[in-house]
Amino acid sequence: MATRRNARAPARGPDGPETPDAAGLAARRVAQAAVADLLGKGRALALEDALAQGARAAGLDAADAGLARAIATATFRRLGFLERALGTRMAQGLPRDEPRLLALLATGAAQILDLNVPDHAAVDLSVRLAKGDRSLQHLAGLVNAVLRRVVREREAILAEAGTPLDHNTPAWLAARWRAAYGDAAGAIAAAHLRGAAVDLTARVEPETWAERLGATLLPTGSLRLTDVRAPVAELSGYGEGAWWVQDAAAALPARLLEPRPGEAVADLCAAPGGKTAQLAAAGARVTAVDRSAARLERLRQNLARLGLEAEVRAGDALDMTEEAAFDAVLLDAPCSATGTIRRHPDVAWTKTEADLARLTALQARLLDKAASLVRPGGRLVYCTCSLEPEEGEAQVAAFLARHAGYERVAVRPEEIGGLSELIGAQGDLRTLPSHLGGAAGPDLGGLDGFFASRLRRRA
């Protein structure tokens, strides 16, 4: 992977100003800091946000920001494997209580084992980072020795990779997926190692835009770009608002809502706005609600580019007072996001099983609120980007037990491109990362893990 020198002012490390960086050092510093922050106790940011903040603070250009992202993403994508490889090659074992050292070793090893980076650059620049950090200076020799050993033993390490479920998945998640999905758990973990392509939703004429962009038209109607060499904003159709970026699985819940022209539709927890765009493009009068004003600004920008309109409202959906005011409501509830690990591998290592109790309680409250907003005869779609049954199937079962005035409306195969394997026993949508991965047909690159249930308020 090519890098180039950042010609800006000298970087500032953890202990003050430094001499001008060697090529690629600033990018590696940002990657190491982001990984360390997420592995530490705070875990306040997603990796994407931590990298963006770090890149801005360091004044990285686009190439170095891309290098930082590639290193940090590769580190989290195979963190379990990397920890195992490093730990067995350190006399005292892996320093799990020292996130900065762990992050430095893991990002160095990821470059050696998984990225197209010269070995000498991965080792030398990792040692320089150690020497430039007062808390790690005394460990520079250790960093050098361990990473040089990784270089020497590369082939043996790669042969030790083991199965993704056993050796590259947190134990609590592996146990949950085995219990919920049986043999498919291994395929889910394997899909996470492959990463994810860029998916688009075309406003109109998806076949035309698939041909124009060189994309694959998926059975569900989304466009998939598997080899994107230019920034998304430079692709044909972006400027005129012909399409927007949206994972193929994430595009399904809004379609299940079946929005109609002129209908009053609420999109709860709406940012960043892909589903809002789908609803508005169908002609619905959309009220998009989200707690994050910053994320809503991105939603507004997307709507403006697409030439679509919606009422955008910053606030907590739980505070809405429009009793039975909407023909349809879409609730994409906050969740553990374990269905997005293909795109966001940090999720596997920064979420814990303890998070589920808090999230499921919030989801139940939001579902009850959403139910109160729907007119008699109206529709409600509840969805989460989670693989955990408590946030999907169990949540809807509990909702129906509380709300006798609602009934489930089963998803039909023809609504989702004929992919009947995406429909669960109760008629809900359940996509897995291994779906569209070649096991039951052509290898189309997988899907994010998503759950969606369509409910109707009895008239």
Side-chain angles (χ1 to χ4, degrees), residues 205-288:
E205 300 178 339
E207 297 86 356
T208 299
W209 282 106
E211 182 177 356
R212 193 171 298 181
L213 292 166
T216 299
L217 180 60
L218 299 180
T220 59
S222 291
L223 310 183
R224 174 155 292 174
L225 300 172
T226 55
D227 186 20
V228 183
R229 297 182 180 273
V232 168
E234 295 179 8
L235 297 178
S236 175
Y238 179 87
E240 56 262 45
W243 48 261
W244 56 92
V245 176
Q246 185 179 31
D247 177 78
L252 296 176
R255 296 174 188 170
L256 298 181
L257 195 66
E258 299 177 313
R260 299 155 193 163
E263 283 192 321
V265 177
D267 183 8
L268 309 185
C269 310
K275 298 177 182 66
T276 300
Q278 289 178 279
L279 300 172
R285 295 182 290 110
V286 184
T287 300

Side-chain angles (χ1 to χ4, degrees), residues 304-320:
R305 177 178 65 84
L306 297 167
L308 297 171
E309 294 183 355
E311 177 191 347
V312 180
R313 187 186 304 178
D316 193 329
L318 292 171
D319 296 330
M320 294 179 67

Side-chain angles (χ1 to χ4, degrees), residues 377-401:
R379 293 102 58 205
L380 167 60
V381 167
Y382 166 81
C383 63
T384 60
C385 55
S386 168
L387 292 171
E388 314 318 307
E390 294 94 327
E391 300 182 278
E393 292 87 349
Q395 191 68 260
V396 170
F399 171 82
L400 289 172

Side-chain angles (χ1 to χ4, degrees), residues 16-99:
E18 300 174 355
T19 57
D21 280 341
L25 184 61
R28 287 167 170 84
R29 182 184 297 109
V30 168
Q32 184 242 354
V35 172
D37 285 348
L38 268 67
L39 292 179
K41 294 181 179 180
R43 300 175 179 174
L45 294 176
L47 179 61
E48 181 179 340
D49 296 328
L51 287 169
Q53 288 189 10
R56 285 194 299 270
L60 298 189
D61 59 22
D64 277 345
L67 175 60
R69 185 181 307 107
I71 292 172
T73 300
T75 300
F76 276 112
R77 193 171 301 287
R78 293 228 283 177
L79 185 59
F81 163 70
L82 295 172
E83 288 185 339
R84 182 183 177 90
L86 291 166
T88 57
R89 287 161 176 81
M90 299 177 67
Q92 303 300 320
L94 203 61
R96 298 181 187 279
D97 59 343
E98 299 182 42

Side-chain angles (χ1 to χ4, degrees), residues 16 21 31 38 47 66 95 106 116 118 142 147 169 178 219 248 290 326 330 365 372 379 397 403 408 410 419 442:
D21 280 341
L38 268 67
L47 179 61
N116 185 24
L142 172 68
L147 293 183
T169 304
R178 282 191 178 98
D290 199 278
F326 296 96
L330 175 60
R365 294 172 61 204
S372 73
R379 293 102 58 205
H403 294 269
R408 177 188 277 110
L419 300 175

